[in-house]
Amino acid sequence: MTSQDERRAFWEERLAADWTETGVGYRALGRPFNEWMYRVRREVFLERAGALDMDLTRARVLDVGSGTGFYVQAWRDLGVASVTGCDLTEAAVARLRRRFPGLRFERLDIADPGDTLAGADFDAVSCMDVLFHITDDDRYTAALESVARLVRPGGYFVLSENFLHRPVQRGANQVNRTIGWITGQLDRVGFDVVRRSPFLVLMNAQVDAGPVWRKTWGGTLRAATLTGPTGWLAGAALYPLERRLVRTRQESPTTEIMVCRRR
């Protein structure tokens, strides 16, 4: 299990060296492919967040694990009244403050945020592709408890996760947990699941698929993205199919987006 200091050092180094979609995305597939992948993520996020039952023009939003500011910008494009961001790393926060002058960004660990955001009362909190990087289960639960304290009753929590239907997968910097365990923790801290749907289908690691397909497709993606030009072509070829799949499938073998509401 990776310690908290090791986890922060890992992300400080990674984001200081590569503050792009590749730095926060599927690094092995290269930047051109990741840029196509993030086009799909953006479209799905805007559709789901834009459909929340609240007045976006008055909404106060917190984005957890802001990274490059991808979802901060998405919230701004939706026209929310205010966005606050936070990240585990100084590398990200310093750059976010330069990219979005006038917005508030804090360096904190959402599993142990202290009093940095004490008294805040957000209409929505987003936490995209962040929670599965918390490798300790107790800290994962603590992160959900922190989010629950920050969302007003009736407010929303938008997250992406790998919601496995197969046994948990544990790695040094990522843990893919079961859907039952995650939804159980969400319920315990006061969230009701409103909707769960694909965030991606083919353009990411097939963590919830069978071993043959998981290895076959993973190898195919890595081979197709060995160079920048071939990665761009692979992304361009998959993009229209991926857009269709995320809208027509009910389940995904990879990352899904979930909308929860605070009781």
Side-chain angles (χ1 to χ4, degrees):
M1 185 181 297
T2 305
S3 73
Q4 178 60 13
D5 288 343
E6 289 172 331
R7 188 166 72 92
R8 181 179 174 188
F10 171 83
W11 286 106
E12 286 282 8
E13 180 180 353
R14 180 162 169 168
L15 292 181
D18 187 4
W19 197 58
T20 69
E21 287 88 349
T22 312
V24 296
Y26 192 168
R27 199 172 192 177
L29 301 184
R31 185 173 180 180
F33 186 86
N34 270 276
E35 288 175 346
W36 282 107
M37 181 198 298
Y38 270 84
R39 290 192 188 192
V40 179
R41 291 178 185 270
R42 172 180 164 79
E43 291 177 13
V44 176
F45 180 83
L46 291 176
E47 182 178 321
R48 297 292 179 267
L52 298 178
D53 185 18
M54 63 182 188
D55 183 353
L56 291 171
T57 64
R58 297 185 178 183
R60 299 176 65 250
V61 171
L62 171 68
D63 181 59
V64 174
S66 296
T68 63
F70 184 85
Y71 297 102
V72 172
Q73 185 59 55
W75 281 117
R76 295 184 80 194
D77 291 342
L78 284 169
V80 299
S82 71
V83 187
T84 299
C86 65
D87 198 88
L88 181 66
T89 68
E90 293 287 357
V93 169
R95 287 171 169 160
L96 287 163
R97 288 171 176 166
R98 291 195 295 270
R99 180 182 174 187
F100 300 100
L103 295 190
R104 179 186 179 188
F105 292 96
E106 299 289 348
R107 209 295 300 168
L108 60 81
D109 180 354
I110 193 61
D112 186 17
D115 60 1
T116 303
L117 297 173
D121 191 30
F122 294 99
D123 298 292
V125 172
S126 56
C127 190
M128 313 307 293
D129 292 352
V130 170
L131 292 171
F132 47 58
H133 291 302
I134 302 176
T135 56
D136 181 89
D137 288 348
D138 289 338
R139 293 189 69 82
Y140 187 108
T141 300
L144 294 183
E145 290 171 344
S146 296
V147 171
R149 287 192 294 270
L150 292 166
V151 179
R152 65 167 176 80
Y156 291 93
F157 180 31
V158 184
L159 67 150
S160 59
E161 255 287 7
N162 285 320
F163 301 114
L164 296 189
H165 294 83
R166 52 196 301 271
V168 62
Q169 301 171 332
R170 296 188 181 273
N173 293 297
Q174 181 168 327
V175 174
N176 300 318
R177 296 173 172 88
T178 67
I179 183 171
W181 189 87
I182 296 170
T183 54
Q185 299 307 305
L186 287 165
D187 177 69
R188 190 181 69 79
V189 301
F191 285 111
D192 294 323
V193 176
V194 176
R195 182 175 185 181
R196 175 177 59 88
S197 57
F199 205 19
L200 294 165
V201 178
L202 293 176
M203 297 181 81
N204 205 0
Q206 306 287 282
V207 295
D208 203 23
V212 174
W213 173 250
R214 188 166 67 250
K215 293 178 180 178
T216 300
W217 185 246
T220 300
L221 279 184
R222 287 189 292 274
T225 57
L226 280 175
T227 69
T230 59
W232 189 93
L233 288 171
L238 281 173
Y239 173 68
L241 174 60
E242 190 78 331
R243 294 182 74 212
R244 188 176 308 115
L245 289 173
V246 295
R247 286 169 172 78
T248 57
R249 289 180 60 108
Q250 300 300 310
E251 298 273 350
S252 170
T254 186
T255 312
E256 296 177 316
I257 185 169
M258 177 180 279
V259 176
C260 303
R261 194 161 195 175
R262 183 77 165 89
R263 290 196 289 270

